[in-house]
Amino acid sequence: MSRRWPPLGVRLRLTLWYTAILLGILVVISGLSYSLLRWSLVQDLDTSLRAVAQVIRDTGWSGPEGTGAEALLRDLLGPEFHDKFFQLMDPEGRPGAHSAELRDRLPLSPRARQRAAAGGETYETVRLARGARVRLLTMPVDRGGHLVRLIQVGMPLDRAERALGRYLETLLVLVPLGLGLAAAGGAVIARRALKPVDEMSRTARRITGEELGRRIRGRGTGDELDHLAGTLNAMLARLEDAFAQVRRFAADAAHELRTPLTALKGGIEVALRAERTPEEYRRVLVSSLEEVERLVRLAEDLLLLSRFSAGAPPARERVELAPLLRDLREVGERLALPRGVSVRLDAPAPLAVQGDPAALRRAVLNLVENAVKYTPRGGRVEVSLAAVDGSAAIAVRDTGVGMDPAEAARVFEPFVRLDAARARDTGGAGLGLAIVRSIVLAHDGTLAVESAPGAGSTFTIRLPLG
């Protein structure tokens, strides 16, 4: 069974990434600098070899072997002749005069012979018979367009190679040292950079459900960490609002449940205080049944609201809206008849959406019931259906009492009744419009209201076409 290592922390990962990237950069730079130094040394050697070869060629010297001739060249060239040796050859490659210090004949490669015949110089690195590495220049001497002589000038590479070796040793010492220092500095930088994150984490751990009012303090620099603090504070604000809504919802639900339960309990207690006639017991039971039905409706509304508010996806099937609205008009007429309100359905367009037929029917029915309840006798409720910007728009208009536009958005909150006295008369619990909004949002739609006091209200549901 393999051992599972714990995950690396952000600081360590940042330090490792920084060190790895820096290592790659240092390796590339060191390789390039080493190559550049080697190329520069070779170029300097080639320039020095060519200067010596040009002096030999321009003086036309082909003197005899011996120290006198070589001394003459040393006096002429000065320090430029240091550590160099030469060799003269005829066009056939047979060696002639050469430096006294030259113990091994300088080789003439086929490439150098071919380029010399074409009048070109050849620079190459060769190894002599004794094993020494030499940088060698082969220069042709032409007279009248004919090759008359070859001049070869060489110089040992041991000094250049020693310089390159020392430079490589320096790199092998400095690169790890610099990498270690950079890693230590990277660790310090990572620790300082993540210190505000640690402070945010400690603050966030101290925030509980009872202390959602606390916020994470920003540094005021406007950087990414301040943006993170702002994002976390915005999330905490939303959580605080959500908790407040949950508490308010629980309190309102408890209040709504307590009222019918209190009435039910009071009626039963009064009936049990003394002997009653069968008719009196019947009246108590009828009254208790009404309260039980109210409790059942309230419980069903709460369950429906919680199901859609929790994001439960509705059933998806094709729903023809025109037949659904015609059916709801008949239901609305039955509800409106005792109140003296007329319900009218404009000629609906043949539109269809994808969704849950029962839920959509409940949403529109709630709007129609709400319009009928708040429309005085002699008023009217109009229902229409039209296609607007690629969506189906269901509008429910009434000529009722209307509401203040500043408070219109509150009617979609659970248990909110702008006119509490009228709400008691109509028997509402303040859940109808909240259920409508949750159903519409679950179907990826929108719900809007336009209203003014005394001018009625218009609720509009917009659903994407199916």
PDB file of all heavy atoms in Angstrom, residues 9 41 99 109 130 133 182-183 204 217 223 226 229 237 251 253 266 274 280 286 314 341 349 367 389 396 398 462 465:
ATOM      1  N   GLY A   9       1.489  23.035   1.041  1.00  0.00           N
ATOM      2  CA  GLY A   9       0.876  24.323   1.291  1.00  0.00           C
ATOM      3  C   GLY A   9       1.145  25.296   0.164  1.00  0.00           C
ATOM      4  O   GLY A   9       2.021  25.101  -0.682  1.00  0.00           O
ATOM      5  N   LEU A  41      36.225  33.724 -27.259  1.00  0.00           N
ATOM      6  CA  LEU A  41      37.635  33.323 -27.186  1.00  0.00           C
ATOM      7  C   LEU A  41      38.128  32.789 -28.527  1.00  0.00           C
ATOM      8  O   LEU A  41      39.248  33.107 -28.967  1.00  0.00           O
ATOM      9  CB  LEU A  41      37.809  32.269 -26.090  1.00  0.00           C
ATOM     10  CG  LEU A  41      37.654  32.752 -24.646  1.00  0.00           C
ATOM     11  CD1 LEU A  41      37.749  31.575 -23.682  1.00  0.00           C
ATOM     12  CD2 LEU A  41      38.709  33.802 -24.312  1.00  0.00           C
ATOM     13  N   SER A  99      58.136  26.827 -37.426  1.00  0.00           N
ATOM     14  CA  SER A  99      58.649  27.348 -36.162  1.00  0.00           C
ATOM     15  C   SER A  99      59.535  26.313 -35.500  1.00  0.00           C
ATOM     16  O   SER A  99      59.324  25.100 -35.638  1.00  0.00           O
ATOM     17  CB  SER A  99      57.495  27.700 -35.224  1.00  0.00           C
ATOM     18  OG  SER A  99      56.683  28.715 -35.786  1.00  0.00           O
ATOM     19  N   SER A 109      44.058  19.256 -43.789  1.00  0.00           N
ATOM     20  CA  SER A 109      42.844  18.467 -44.011  1.00  0.00           C
ATOM     21  C   SER A 109      42.375  18.623 -45.455  1.00  0.00           C
ATOM     22  O   SER A 109      42.701  19.621 -46.127  1.00  0.00           O
ATOM     23  CB  SER A 109      41.741  18.924 -43.061  1.00  0.00           C
ATOM     24  OG  SER A 109      41.363  20.267 -43.339  1.00  0.00           O
ATOM     25  N   ARG A 130      50.872  14.454 -30.641  1.00  0.00           N
ATOM     26  CA  ARG A 130      51.145  14.342 -29.203  1.00  0.00           C
ATOM     27  C   ARG A 130      49.888  14.544 -28.353  1.00  0.00           C
ATOM     28  O   ARG A 130      49.976  14.526 -27.130  1.00  0.00           O
ATOM     29  CB  ARG A 130      52.215  15.350 -28.797  1.00  0.00           C
ATOM     30  CG  ARG A 130      53.557  15.092 -29.480  1.00  0.00           C
ATOM     31  CD  ARG A 130      54.574  16.152 -29.059  1.00  0.00           C
ATOM     32  NE  ARG A 130      55.847  15.964 -29.742  1.00  0.00           N
ATOM     33  CZ  ARG A 130      56.835  15.220 -29.276  1.00  0.00           C
ATOM     34  NH1 ARG A 130      56.687  14.615 -28.114  1.00  0.00           N
ATOM     35  NH2 ARG A 130      57.948  15.090 -29.948  1.00  0.00           N
ATOM     36  N   ARG A 133      45.521  19.944 -28.426  1.00  0.00           N
ATOM     37  CA  ARG A 133      44.486  20.551 -29.280  1.00  0.00           C
ATOM     38  C   ARG A 133      44.960  21.926 -29.711  1.00  0.00           C
ATOM     39  O   ARG A 133      45.428  22.728 -28.899  1.00  0.00           O
ATOM     40  CB  ARG A 133      43.160  20.649 -28.533  1.00  0.00           C
ATOM     41  CG  ARG A 133      42.435  19.308 -28.417  1.00  0.00           C
ATOM     42  CD  ARG A 133      41.278  19.372 -27.430  1.00  0.00           C
ATOM     43  NE  ARG A 133      40.388  20.504 -27.660  1.00  0.00           N
ATOM     44  CZ  ARG A 133      39.383  20.506 -28.548  1.00  0.00           C
ATOM     45  NH1 ARG A 133      39.176  19.415 -29.291  1.00  0.00           N
ATOM     46  NH2 ARG A 133      38.615  21.557 -28.690  1.00  0.00           N
ATOM     47  N   ALA A 182      17.896  32.660  -3.571  1.00  0.00           N
ATOM     48  CA  ALA A 182      16.612  33.038  -4.173  1.00  0.00           C
ATOM     49  C   ALA A 182      15.470  32.244  -3.556  1.00  0.00           C
ATOM     50  O   ALA A 182      14.374  32.776  -3.345  1.00  0.00           O
ATOM     51  CB  ALA A 182      16.660  32.808  -5.679  1.00  0.00           C
ATOM     52  N   ALA A 183      15.701  30.950  -3.273  1.00  0.00           N
ATOM     53  CA  ALA A 183      14.657  30.142  -2.645  1.00  0.00           C
ATOM     54  C   ALA A 183      14.318  30.683  -1.255  1.00  0.00           C
ATOM     55  O   ALA A 183      13.143  30.758  -0.872  1.00  0.00           O
ATOM     56  CB  ALA A 183      15.098  28.685  -2.569  1.00  0.00           C
ATOM     57  N   ALA A 204     -12.343  34.826   9.294  1.00  0.00           N
ATOM     58  CA  ALA A 204     -13.472  34.038   8.783  1.00  0.00           C
ATOM     59  C   ALA A 204     -13.812  32.896   9.728  1.00  0.00           C
ATOM     60  O   ALA A 204     -14.997  32.551   9.899  1.00  0.00           O
ATOM     61  CB  ALA A 204     -13.151  33.502   7.395  1.00  0.00           C
ATOM     62  N   ARG A 217     -11.556  42.744   7.194  1.00  0.00           N
ATOM     63  CA  ARG A 217     -11.002  44.080   6.971  1.00  0.00           C
ATOM     64  C   ARG A 217     -10.027  44.055   5.801  1.00  0.00           C
ATOM     65  O   ARG A 217      -9.137  43.202   5.729  1.00  0.00           O
ATOM     66  CB  ARG A 217     -10.296  44.569   8.236  1.00  0.00           C
ATOM     67  CG  ARG A 217      -9.795  46.012   8.132  1.00  0.00           C
ATOM     68  CD  ARG A 217      -9.201  46.440   9.446  1.00  0.00           C
ATOM     69  NE  ARG A 217      -8.068  45.587   9.814  1.00  0.00           N
ATOM     70  CZ  ARG A 217      -7.424  45.661  10.960  1.00  0.00           C
ATOM     71  NH1 ARG A 217      -7.823  46.535  11.871  1.00  0.00           N
ATOM     72  NH2 ARG A 217      -6.399  44.852  11.219  1.00  0.00           N
ATOM     73  N   ASP A 223      -5.671  45.986  -4.324  1.00  0.00           N
ATOM     74  CA  ASP A 223      -5.077  44.878  -5.055  1.00  0.00           C
ATOM     75  C   ASP A 223      -5.998  43.664  -5.019  1.00  0.00           C
ATOM     76  O   ASP A 223      -7.153  43.742  -4.609  1.00  0.00           O
ATOM     77  CB  ASP A 223      -3.693  44.539  -4.491  1.00  0.00           C
ATOM     78  CG  ASP A 223      -3.749  44.203  -3.003  1.00  0.00           C
ATOM     79  OD1 ASP A 223      -4.863  44.130  -2.449  1.00  0.00           O
ATOM     80  OD2 ASP A 223      -2.677  44.010  -2.392  1.00  0.00           O
ATOM     81  N   ASP A 226      -7.512  42.779  -1.656  1.00  0.00           N
ATOM     82  CA  ASP A 226      -8.647  43.625  -1.298  1.00  0.00           C
ATOM     83  C   ASP A 226      -9.900  43.186  -2.049  1.00  0.00           C
ATOM     84  O   ASP A 226     -11.011  43.201  -1.495  1.00  0.00           O
ATOM     85  CB  ASP A 226      -8.333  45.091  -1.609  1.00  0.00           C
ATOM     86  CG  ASP A 226      -7.732  45.810  -0.408  1.00  0.00           C
ATOM     87  OD1 ASP A 226      -7.484  45.142   0.606  1.00  0.00           O
ATOM     88  OD2 ASP A 226      -7.501  47.028  -0.484  1.00  0.00           O
ATOM     89  N   ALA A 229     -11.151  40.200  -0.231  1.00  0.00           N
ATOM     90  CA  ALA A 229     -11.862  40.590   0.992  1.00  0.00           C
ATOM     91  C   ALA A 229     -13.247  41.139   0.660  1.00  0.00           C
ATOM     92  O   ALA A 229     -14.236  40.826   1.341  1.00  0.00           O
ATOM     93  CB  ALA A 229     -11.042  41.626   1.761  1.00  0.00           C
ATOM     94  N   ALA A 237     -22.515  39.136   3.497  1.00  0.00           N
ATOM     95  CA  ALA A 237     -23.734  39.943   3.510  1.00  0.00           C
ATOM     96  C   ALA A 237     -24.925  39.146   2.972  1.00  0.00           C
ATOM     97  O   ALA A 237     -26.036  39.207   3.518  1.00  0.00           O
ATOM     98  CB  ALA A 237     -23.531  41.217   2.696  1.00  0.00           C
ATOM     99  N   ALA A 251     -40.337  32.592  11.892  1.00  0.00           N
ATOM    100  CA  ALA A 251     -41.197  33.313  12.837  1.00  0.00           C
ATOM    101  C   ALA A 251     -42.581  33.558  12.235  1.00  0.00           C
ATOM    102  O   ALA A 251     -43.614  33.380  12.911  1.00  0.00           O
ATOM    103  CB  ALA A 251     -40.546  34.637  13.229  1.00  0.00           C
ATOM    104  N   ALA A 253     -44.014  31.840   9.801  1.00  0.00           N
ATOM    105  CA  ALA A 253     -44.718  30.564   9.668  1.00  0.00           C
ATOM    106  C   ALA A 253     -45.294  30.125  11.014  1.00  0.00           C
ATOM    107  O   ALA A 253     -46.434  29.635  11.091  1.00  0.00           O
ATOM    108  CB  ALA A 253     -43.772  29.496   9.113  1.00  0.00           C
ATOM    109  N   GLY A 266     -59.136  26.819  21.287  1.00  0.00           N
ATOM    110  CA  GLY A 266     -60.131  27.562  22.058  1.00  0.00           C
ATOM    111  C   GLY A 266     -61.530  27.030  21.849  1.00  0.00           C
ATOM    112  O   GLY A 266     -62.323  26.893  22.804  1.00  0.00           O
ATOM    113  N   ALA A 274     -68.778  22.227  29.220  1.00  0.00           N
ATOM    114  CA  ALA A 274     -70.127  21.828  29.689  1.00  0.00           C
ATOM    115  C   ALA A 274     -70.760  20.942  28.627  1.00  0.00           C
ATOM    116  O   ALA A 274     -70.268  20.847  27.499  1.00  0.00           O
ATOM    117  CB  ALA A 274     -70.996  23.058  29.940  1.00  0.00           C
ATOM    118  N   GLU A 280     -74.839  22.078  18.820  1.00  0.00           N
ATOM    119  CA  GLU A 280     -73.698  22.893  19.264  1.00  0.00           C
ATOM    120  C   GLU A 280     -72.381  22.168  18.990  1.00  0.00           C
ATOM    121  O   GLU A 280     -71.405  22.782  18.550  1.00  0.00           O
ATOM    122  CB  GLU A 280     -73.843  23.203  20.753  1.00  0.00           C
ATOM    123  CG  GLU A 280     -74.977  24.172  21.051  1.00  0.00           C
ATOM    124  CD  GLU A 280     -75.179  24.372  22.544  1.00  0.00           C
ATOM    125  OE1 GLU A 280     -74.841  23.450  23.316  1.00  0.00           O
ATOM    126  OE2 GLU A 280     -75.628  25.441  22.939  1.00  0.00           O
ATOM    127  N   VAL A 286     -67.669  21.851  12.805  1.00  0.00           N
ATOM    128  CA  VAL A 286     -67.589  22.558  11.520  1.00  0.00           C
ATOM    129  C   VAL A 286     -66.539  23.665  11.583  1.00  0.00           C
ATOM    130  O   VAL A 286     -65.724  23.844  10.680  1.00  0.00           O
ATOM    131  CB  VAL A 286     -68.968  23.109  11.124  1.00  0.00           C
ATOM    132  CG1 VAL A 286     -68.843  24.054   9.934  1.00  0.00           C
ATOM    133  CG2 VAL A 286     -69.926  21.967  10.794  1.00  0.00           C
ATOM    134  N   PRO A 314     -38.322  21.618 -11.831  1.00  0.00           N
ATOM    135  CA  PRO A 314     -39.690  21.190 -12.144  1.00  0.00           C
ATOM    136  C   PRO A 314     -39.697  20.166 -13.270  1.00  0.00           C
ATOM    137  O   PRO A 314     -38.712  20.003 -13.998  1.00  0.00           O
ATOM    138  CB  PRO A 314     -40.364  22.503 -12.577  1.00  0.00           C
ATOM    139  CG  PRO A 314     -39.244  23.315 -13.150  1.00  0.00           C
ATOM    140  CD  PRO A 314     -38.015  22.959 -12.338  1.00  0.00           C
ATOM    141  N   VAL A 341     -67.284  40.691  -9.711  1.00  0.00           N
ATOM    142  CA  VAL A 341     -66.129  41.070 -10.540  1.00  0.00           C
ATOM    143  C   VAL A 341     -66.175  40.226 -11.806  1.00  0.00           C
ATOM    144  O   VAL A 341     -66.495  39.027 -11.771  1.00  0.00           O
ATOM    145  CB  VAL A 341     -64.802  40.835  -9.783  1.00  0.00           C
ATOM    146  CG1 VAL A 341     -63.610  41.175 -10.681  1.00  0.00           C
ATOM    147  CG2 VAL A 341     -64.768  41.665  -8.512  1.00  0.00           C
ATOM    148  N   ALA A 349     -52.597  33.881 -27.899  1.00  0.00           N
ATOM    149  CA  ALA A 349     -51.807  33.355 -29.016  1.00  0.00           C
ATOM    150  C   ALA A 349     -51.493  31.884 -28.756  1.00  0.00           C
ATOM    151  O   ALA A 349     -51.357  31.464 -27.603  1.00  0.00           O
ATOM    152  CB  ALA A 349     -50.517  34.159 -29.167  1.00  0.00           C
ATOM    153  N   LEU A 367     -52.338  34.373  -9.289  1.00  0.00           N
ATOM    154  CA  LEU A 367     -52.442  35.766  -9.736  1.00  0.00           C
ATOM    155  C   LEU A 367     -53.903  36.148  -9.970  1.00  0.00           C
ATOM    156  O   LEU A 367     -54.326  37.265  -9.619  1.00  0.00           O
ATOM    157  CB  LEU A 367     -51.627  35.965 -11.017  1.00  0.00           C
ATOM    158  CG  LEU A 367     -50.103  35.860 -10.887  1.00  0.00           C
ATOM    159  CD1 LEU A 367     -49.446  36.117 -12.238  1.00  0.00           C
ATOM    160  CD2 LEU A 367     -49.560  36.836  -9.850  1.00  0.00           C
ATOM    161  N   ASP A 389     -40.441  39.188 -27.546  1.00  0.00           N
ATOM    162  CA  ASP A 389     -38.987  38.987 -27.546  1.00  0.00           C
ATOM    163  C   ASP A 389     -38.603  37.535 -27.263  1.00  0.00           C
ATOM    164  O   ASP A 389     -37.757  37.239 -26.394  1.00  0.00           O
ATOM    165  CB  ASP A 389     -38.313  39.908 -26.515  1.00  0.00           C
ATOM    166  CG  ASP A 389     -38.500  41.382 -26.841  1.00  0.00           C
ATOM    167  OD1 ASP A 389     -38.666  41.681 -28.040  1.00  0.00           O
ATOM    168  OD2 ASP A 389     -38.499  42.207 -25.922  1.00  0.00           O
ATOM    169  N   VAL A 396     -51.772  39.547 -16.083  1.00  0.00           N
ATOM    170  CA  VAL A 396     -53.022  39.565 -15.320  1.00  0.00           C
ATOM    171  C   VAL A 396     -53.215  40.987 -14.817  1.00  0.00           C
ATOM    172  O   VAL A 396     -52.473  41.461 -13.947  1.00  0.00           O
ATOM    173  CB  VAL A 396     -52.979  38.561 -14.149  1.00  0.00           C
ATOM    174  CG1 VAL A 396     -54.288  38.624 -13.364  1.00  0.00           C
ATOM    175  CG2 VAL A 396     -52.738  37.145 -14.659  1.00  0.00           C
ATOM    176  N   ASP A 398     -55.854  44.067 -13.263  1.00  0.00           N
ATOM    177  CA  ASP A 398     -57.087  44.271 -12.499  1.00  0.00           C
ATOM    178  C   ASP A 398     -57.325  45.750 -12.319  1.00  0.00           C
ATOM    179  O   ASP A 398     -56.430  46.577 -12.539  1.00  0.00           O
ATOM    180  CB  ASP A 398     -57.024  43.559 -11.143  1.00  0.00           C
ATOM    181  CG  ASP A 398     -55.935  44.112 -10.238  1.00  0.00           C
ATOM    182  OD1 ASP A 398     -56.009  45.290  -9.871  1.00  0.00           O
ATOM    183  OD2 ASP A 398     -54.989  43.350  -9.905  1.00  0.00           O
ATOM    184  N   ARG A 462     -43.128  36.081 -17.661  1.00  0.00           N
ATOM    185  CA  ARG A 462     -42.484  35.851 -18.955  1.00  0.00           C
ATOM    186  C   ARG A 462     -41.687  34.553 -18.874  1.00  0.00           C
ATOM    187  O   ARG A 462     -40.808  34.406 -18.034  1.00  0.00           O
ATOM    188  CB  ARG A 462     -41.586  37.024 -19.336  1.00  0.00           C
ATOM    189  CG  ARG A 462     -42.334  38.332 -19.422  1.00  0.00           C
ATOM    190  CD  ARG A 462     -41.469  39.476 -19.880  1.00  0.00           C
ATOM    191  NE  ARG A 462     -41.173  39.385 -21.283  1.00  0.00           N
ATOM    192  CZ  ARG A 462     -40.590  40.362 -21.987  1.00  0.00           C
ATOM    193  NH1 ARG A 462     -40.246  41.498 -21.373  1.00  0.00           N
ATOM    194  NH2 ARG A 462     -40.342  40.216 -23.264  1.00  0.00           N
ATOM    195  N   LEU A 465     -40.012  30.481 -24.595  1.00  0.00           N
ATOM    196  CA  LEU A 465     -40.823  29.629 -25.452  1.00  0.00           C
ATOM    197  C   LEU A 465     -40.215  28.257 -25.594  1.00  0.00           C
ATOM    198  O   LEU A 465     -38.988  28.097 -25.668  1.00  0.00           O
ATOM    199  CB  LEU A 465     -40.995  30.282 -26.829  1.00  0.00           C
ATOM    200  CG  LEU A 465     -41.895  31.546 -26.867  1.00  0.00           C
ATOM    201  CD1 LEU A 465     -41.836  32.184 -28.255  1.00  0.00           C
ATOM    202  CD2 LEU A 465     -43.326  31.189 -26.502  1.00  0.00           C
TER     203      LEU A 465
END
